[in-house]
Amino acid sequence: MGDSRVGVVVITWQRRDEALACVERLLQLPEAPHVVLVDNGSTDGTADAVRDRFPAVEVVALSANLGAVGRNIGVRRLRTPYVAFCDDDTWWAPGSLALAADVLDEHPRLALVNARIVVEPSGAEDPIVAELRDSPVPAPDWLPGPALGSFLAGASVVRRGAFEAAGGFSERLWLGGEEELLATDLLSSGWELCYLGELTVHHRASALRDATHRRRVGLRNTLWFTWLRRPVGAAVRRTLFLARTVPRDRTSLLGVLDAVRGAAWLITHRRPRPAVVEARLGVLDEEQRRSTARRYVG
């Protein structure tokens, strides 16, 4: 019968085969979601291939790679109250979208739910799942799952109104750790985020990725977020920790230089999060230092 409450936004770049496989799986879901695929300027024929094979899918072909901003563009094409994000190498399990909509319906102050992530082809849980499940962020009694201070975009369902009011993903950050800034802004506006283990996203990591560039951008974005939203003391401590722990190589140096070049922008847009939010999320600092599942600089 389908479920008209949730639409899906997929972003892709230069991964035609993965994008086709992802869209095919989404169209087979019992929720029958409206799917918007945003092609970030691929030159491998992705947009045309998806249009030809799946005419029901709304394809937005951009002329340049806008990274996570492609999700913002996809969200604006939808009128559903909730939006599920999907990367071209992930896909949602049957029933998860409907369950996410049920939970968001029931909890009007909940802006976003993050699913459990299963790695394919092994079928094992992604190591990050343990950190989501055991999140130390204090949670209000009504929250249906562990409270989160950030999320993984390709495994999340968001309340469209909250997403748009917060401005979506930052154009400046492009792609890589962009979720942390949006999460902080949602929490600062009184919304909540949580992990729901009953939801499942499958992830088959594409081999078509530039890990070096992702690490460079990830380091830059970590520094930018830190100085955009953290108080000075916490920002200094986080910066010193990164200085001690990131690889001492050309990629890290370039990431730091990229961050420094944005100093004028940082000063203009710096807005430390409210003290109550800082106190609540400060417990994540130690978890991030000890994390073996996710390195925020790649």
Side-chain angles (χ1 to χ4, degrees):
M1 301 227 6
D3 193 318
S4 61
R5 295 173 295 171
V6 188
V8 181
V9 172
V10 182
I11 59 171
T12 187
W13 182 70
Q14 301 290 70
R15 294 179 181 173
R16 181 182 59 192
D17 293 342
E18 285 94 333
L20 288 168
C22 170
V23 168
E24 183 173 18
R25 291 185 175 104
L26 292 174
L27 294 179
Q28 292 172 351
L29 292 176
E31 294 92 337
H34 178 61
V35 177
V36 179
L37 179 130
V38 181
D39 180 19
N40 269 315
S42 298
T43 59
D44 64 353
T46 295
D48 288 340
V50 173
R51 283 195 190 102
D52 291 344
R53 189 174 302 182
F54 306 110
V57 172
E58 184 173 357
V59 177
V60 182
L62 305 179
S63 59
N65 189 349
L66 302 185
V69 174
R71 299 191 188 108
N72 299 354
I73 294 169
V75 169
R76 290 199 291 269
R77 296 296 187 105
L78 291 169
R79 291 295 177 265
T80 53
Y82 312 125
V83 179
F85 293 122
C86 204
D87 294 336
D88 49 23
D89 57 357
T90 66
W91 62 93
W92 287 87
S96 288
L97 298 184
L99 178 57
D102 290 342
V103 171
L104 290 166
D105 279 348
E106 186 177 351
H107 301 90
R109 290 172 51 200
L110 182 59
L112 181 147
V113 290
N114 198 121
R116 182 176 70 104
I117 303 167
V118 174
V119 178
E120 300 298 349
S122 70
E125 285 188 347
D126 189 296
I128 195 64
V129 169
E131 294 186 14
L132 297 171
R133 185 186 297 123
D134 300 329
S135 170
V137 177
D141 292 341
W142 59 265
L143 206 63
L148 300 179
S150 188
F151 63 98
L152 290 92
S156 63
V157 180
V158 65
R159 188 180 300 272
R160 185 168 60 88
F163 178 86
E164 292 181 330
F169 292 105
S170 168
E171 294 182 10
R172 192 75 185 231
L173 268 60
W174 189 65
L175 188 68
E178 71 279 3
E179 299 98 335
E180 194 168 18
L181 179 59
L182 176 58
T184 280
D185 290 349
L186 287 168
L187 291 165
S188 298
S189 296
W191 293 100
E192 294 290 342
L193 298 75
C194 80
Y195 168 72
L196 278 182
E198 298 86 350
L199 311 180
T200 300
V201 162
H202 298 272
H203 180 210
R204 185 188 294 268
S206 174
L208 303 174
R209 64 178 63 239
D210 186 342
T212 299
H213 182 65
R214 290 290 292 270
R215 181 160 69 87
R216 174 179 172 176
V217 173
L219 176 56
R220 181 201 67 182
N221 287 351
T222 297
L223 289 168
W224 276 355
F225 165 76
T226 297
W227 287 96
L228 280 170
R229 294 292 184 266
R230 303 296 301 273
V232 171
V236 170
R237 289 191 294 273
R238 180 64 171 157
T239 302
L240 292 176
F241 171 75
L242 290 170
R244 293 194 305 269
T245 58
V246 300
R248 297 179 180 274
D249 59 11
R250 183 174 182 272
T251 300
S252 295
L253 175 61
L254 291 173
V256 171
L257 291 176
D258 291 341
V260 171
R261 291 189 189 100
W265 171 73
L266 288 176
I267 292 171
T268 302
H269 291 81
R270 176 171 163 77
R271 191 173 73 250
R273 59 199 185 191
V276 64
V277 176
E278 175 62 29
R280 187 179 176 203
L281 299 187
V283 297
L284 292 172
D285 288 346
E286 180 59 30
E287 181 180 271
Q288 290 178 357
R289 284 192 287 268
R290 294 185 288 104
S291 174
T292 59
R294 177 162 65 162
R295 299 296 183 183
Y296 290 90
V297 296

